[in-house]
Amino acid sequence: MTAAMSAPLRLMFRLAKYTPPLLGVLFRLNLKMTRSIDERGSERMMARFPEPDRTLLKRPEILRGYVSCFQEACLNGTRGAVHDMSLIARPWGFDLATISIPVWLWHGERDANVP
C-alpha cells in the first residue's frame, strides 16, 4: 500500500498506526514551519509532490490556500489531523471486495499521499 509514497509520508503512516502521539509532535513541528514558510521552504515541500500538484502550488494563492488549510485543520491542536491519518493508516475492518453495489472512486493517478 505504501510503496509509492515518499519516505517521509511512509514514516508518518507508521507513526499514525503505531505511535500517534509522535505523529502529533511531527504535525506540530510542521505547523511551526508553515508559519514562516518562504520560497525556499515551499520549494522543498513541493519537491515531494507529483507534477500536477507542483504546478498548482507554484501559484502563490494556491500555496497560501494549501498552507492555510493545514493551519486551520490544526487550529485547535493536531489531534484531529492525527486521528484522520490514523484512520487511513490502519485496516478498515472490512474487505473492499465484499462491496456489492457500484462505487465510484475519484483519485488522482499520481497521488502518492493516499494510495
Side-chain angles (χ1 to χ4, degrees):
M1 170 175 121
T2 60
M5 292 178 171
S6 66
L9 195 55
R10 281 195 308 272
L11 172 63
M12 288 170 54
F13 264 66
R14 279 195 191 99
L15 293 175
K17 190 173 182 179
Y18 300 110
T19 56
L22 288 178
L23 181 60
V25 171
L26 183 62
F27 278 169
R28 285 190 293 281
L29 290 171
N30 281 338
L31 188 58
K32 285 182 183 182
M33 287 175 28
T34 65
R35 290 191 181 120
S36 62
I37 198 160
D38 60 6
E39 188 174 325
R40 201 176 87 214
S42 64
E43 289 294 326
R44 262 194 325 268
M45 176 187 70
M46 288 189 289
R48 299 187 309 254
F49 289 32
E51 179 50 41
D53 293 345
R54 285 195 309 266
T55 297
L56 281 173
L57 289 169
K58 286 179 184 174
R59 295 173 44 194
E61 70 276 15
I62 301 290
L63 178 61
R64 278 192 307 273
Y66 177 79
V67 170
S68 289
C69 184
F70 178 68
Q71 291 170 337
E72 180 72 21
C74 298
L75 189 62
N76 294 314
T78 59
R79 188 173 174 196
V82 169
H83 182 67
D84 187 51
M85 185 163 262
S86 294
L87 291 173
I88 295 167
R90 67 179 183 227
W92 292 355
F94 63 93
D95 182 0
L96 292 174
T98 64
I99 298 173
S100 60
I101 61 170
V103 176
W104 290 89
L105 296 176
W106 293 83
H107 188 275
E109 291 178 353
R110 296 183 186 179
D111 185 356
N113 289 333
V114 181

